[in-house]
Amino acid sequence: MDFPNEMMRRNRAWAERMREEDPGFFDRLAAQQAPEVLWIGCSDSRVSADQISGLMPGEVFVHRNIANLVIHTDMNCQSVIQFAVEALRVKHIIVCGHYGCGGIKAAMESRDYGLLQNWLRNIKDVCSHHEAEIEGLSGEQARVDRLCELNVQAQVRNLAHTATVQNAWAAGQALHIHGWIYSIRDGLLHDLEVDLSDVAHVPAIYRTA
Ligand code: CO
């Protein structure tokens, strides 16, 4: 099948359906976006932020990369965070991982993935940091899934270490960071309960002010 053509066809049908259901929909969206949430998720095709959370266009600002990483030298991700916090003034940032993540699996292997190796290195560091716990689990799936969770927790901390987030907190801006994980097996989101809403739990060495 010519999939790009199929996508154009589905787009026409979707736009028409939206206009029928809500004639003012596109005019409102064209005027401005005011999402309350920044979503940082995995690029995996099965983990689409708006679809799995039942959201409409305009409701979530999105950044996705392999294994939902927040790396301090990644200008793409850092720029998205700054724009979302300072310009859009989102109230929540959700780092959402997913069980069975291919990026996490690849990072646990001793194999050369070429350029991608540099990206996976960040996950290997998280894995190495929790080696005893992960090695203590039985079965590959349990080990991968636990690292998926630990990786989300590490990225929540990385977010709290950014100047953008700390400046917002210092200015009294309400900004909550959440760590969630999605199960492809049943379509459900789970809260890892690692929320951060102020600088209190940020170690001194990572504080910018
Ligand atoms: Co993934």
Side-chain angles (χ1 to χ4, degrees), residues 42 44 98 101:
C42 184
D44 191 299
H98 66 99
C101 181

Side-chain angles (χ1 to χ4, degrees), residues 9-49:
R9 195 194 61 73
R10 289 190 202 178
N11 164 259
R12 297 293 185 280
W14 172 79
E16 197 178 312
R17 199 170 63 246
M18 294 305 292
R19 272 194 301 272
E20 276 168 16
E21 286 172 10
D22 180 358
F25 181 71
F26 290 112
D27 289 338
R28 282 199 312 278
L29 279 186
Q32 67 155 343
Q33 64 163 339
E36 286 201 13
V37 174
L38 164 62
W39 172 285
I40 298 176
C42 184
S43 296
D44 191 299
S45 63
R46 300 163 293 182
V47 195
S48 157

Side-chain angles (χ1 to χ4, degrees), residues 114-190:
L115 179 66
L116 182 56
Q117 195 72 7
N118 299 291
W119 190 252
L120 299 179
R121 222 339 263 287
N122 298 291
I123 309 166
K124 287 178 187 286
D125 290 344
V126 178
C127 189
S128 169
H129 194 74
H130 298 276
E131 196 176 5
E133 182 191 344
I134 291 167
E135 288 305 313
L137 296 168
S138 61
E140 194 207 353
Q141 186 175 311
R143 286 194 288 270
V144 169
D145 286 352
R146 182 58 184 146
L147 185 54
C148 289
E149 294 176 348
L150 292 167
N151 179 57
V152 168
Q153 293 177 26
Q155 306 318 316
V156 164
R157 287 195 297 272
N158 285 349
L159 259 172
H161 298 168
T162 64
T164 297
V165 167
Q166 290 189 27
N167 288 345
W169 284 340
Q173 189 174 335
L175 180 63
H176 309 282
I177 306 174
H178 312 265
W180 289 2
I181 195 147
Y182 175 74
S183 172
I184 291 171
R185 294 184 276 268
D186 61 11
L188 295 176
L189 286 165
H190 302 275

